[in-house]
Amino acid sequence: MLLTDIPLLRSAVRACPVDIVDETYIHVPPEALSALVADSVNHRQWWPHLSLHTTRDRGVKGQRWAVVGRITGTMEIWLEPFRDGVILHHYVRGHATGWRRRSEAGRHTLRWKRVVTRLKDSLEGRAL
């Protein structure tokens, strides 16, 4: 499926560009994290402002999605094994839509940092 096959993506070229890269080390094996990344229930909790369509299921290496909502484009989580844990790479590329589009990338980034910090604390056994 091409991104231009999704009707809302065709009009995104007039919106503000979004290019987000984030990396977080989590001291658990990739297998412990990959099921959480693939779970659509988590997607709705982590990114309530986006509708995700899986474009590539990479198994223990992560997921890739086409996204529509406040940001329209692509999003990926890549799980890279590193020492005794995993580096969770989070990429978002696309265009912000809606009336607050200039600050949408910042809101998405802050929302994601809260989510991934809670996830890290939970998986590493820290008190919340």
Side-chain angles (χ1 to χ4, degrees):
M1 168 184 256
L2 297 174
L3 291 179
T4 54
D5 292 339
I6 300 172
L8 289 177
L9 291 178
R10 287 186 212 124
S11 64
V13 294
R14 290 182 224 110
C16 293
V18 173
D19 191 9
I20 299 169
V21 177
D22 183 72
E23 297 175 341
T24 304
Y25 176 79
I26 302 179
H27 192 222
V28 296
E31 298 80 12
L33 198 50
S34 64
L36 296 173
V37 169
D39 187 346
S40 63
V41 171
N42 288 331
H43 302 165
R44 288 187 295 277
Q45 292 174 353
W46 295 347
W47 304 295
H49 60 296
L50 299 174
S51 175
L52 281 64
H53 172 75
T54 302
T55 58
R56 186 161 182 212
D57 182 346
R58 300 179 67 219
V60 74
K61 292 183 179 184
Q63 298 276 313
R64 194 174 293 162
W65 304 277
V67 296
V68 176
R70 291 188 187 158
I71 297 173
T72 301
T74 63
M75 185 167 66
E76 177 177 0
I77 289 184
W78 168 40
L79 303 174
E80 177 186 14
F82 183 76
R83 298 190 182 187
D84 292 339
V86 62
I87 299 173
L88 187 155
H89 301 270
H90 176 67
Y91 303 108
V92 182
R93 289 184 183 88
H95 294 85
T97 57
W99 65 277
R100 299 170 90 182
R101 63 184 178 262
R102 288 193 190 274
S103 59
E104 194 55 49
R107 278 194 297 279
H108 177 91
T109 301
L110 290 174
R111 186 181 294 120
W112 172 246
K113 288 309 280 186
R114 283 191 299 270
V115 166
V116 77
T117 299
R118 273 186 256 127
L119 187 61
K120 176 180 174 67
D121 289 346
S122 174
L123 290 171
E124 292 179 351
R126 294 190 178 110
L128 300 178

